[in-house]
Amino acid sequence: MPQGASRRVPQGAPQDHLTVTVHRSGSAHTDGTFELYCHPAHGTHHHVRRACAKLDSMTRWGKDPFAPVPQHAQCTMIYGGPATAHVSGTWAGRPVNADFRRTNGCEIERWSRFEPLLPATSS
């Protein structure tokens, strides 16, 4: 999909649906399991419209926005706190099963790219 182009979902197409589970974010308000539906946007997530818009902006043809940090990436040894998250479901017609943590600079940056789908942490 060209940069800046919005994704159009045909009527009757399966919805984008993600289940987001967050632990140890530093806030009882953002810890827990939340449902996010996009196209149309609804669910129990705290920032439904912003999270859907962020994911739409990250979606590119042939790229997996949920891909993990490459195994041999050189990352700064900064600890970003104990927060973890798991995202599962379907996005752009593809299955999602992604884990997030803040154990080094690369993982912190990856988490930050997904805000507001993932909460800003206070750790």
Side-chain angles (χ1 to χ4, degrees), residues 39-91:
H39 314 111
H42 64 282
T44 60
H45 191 278
H46 295 296
H47 304 287
V48 170
R49 293 190 193 287
R50 288 179 36 220
C52 289
K54 178 65 173 187
L55 289 169
D56 279 339
S57 75
M58 296 172 68
T59 302
R60 301 286 180 265
W61 180 260
K63 301 283 185 184
D64 179 5
F66 294 93
V69 171
Q71 205 168 25
H72 298 292
Q74 294 184 3
C75 305
T76 58
M77 296 309 295
I78 297 172
Y79 180 65
T84 62
H86 181 78
V87 179
S88 61
T90 304
W91 183 257

Side-chain angles (χ1 to χ4, degrees), residues 68-69 80-85 99-104 106-111 118:
V69 171
T84 62
D99 291 307
F100 294 84
R101 55 194 177 282
R102 299 177 57 81
T103 54
N104 62 47
C106 296
E107 295 290 352
I108 293 168
E109 190 276 331
R110 180 173 176 247
W111 182 294
L118 301 180

Side-chain angles (χ1 to χ4, degrees), residues 6 12 20 31 35 39 46 81 88 92 94 96 99 102-103 117 122:
S6 62
V20 180
D31 282 352
E35 301 295 325
H39 314 111
H46 295 296
S88 61
R94 301 181 73 111
V96 174
D99 291 307
R102 299 177 57 81
T103 54
L117 175 68
S122 57

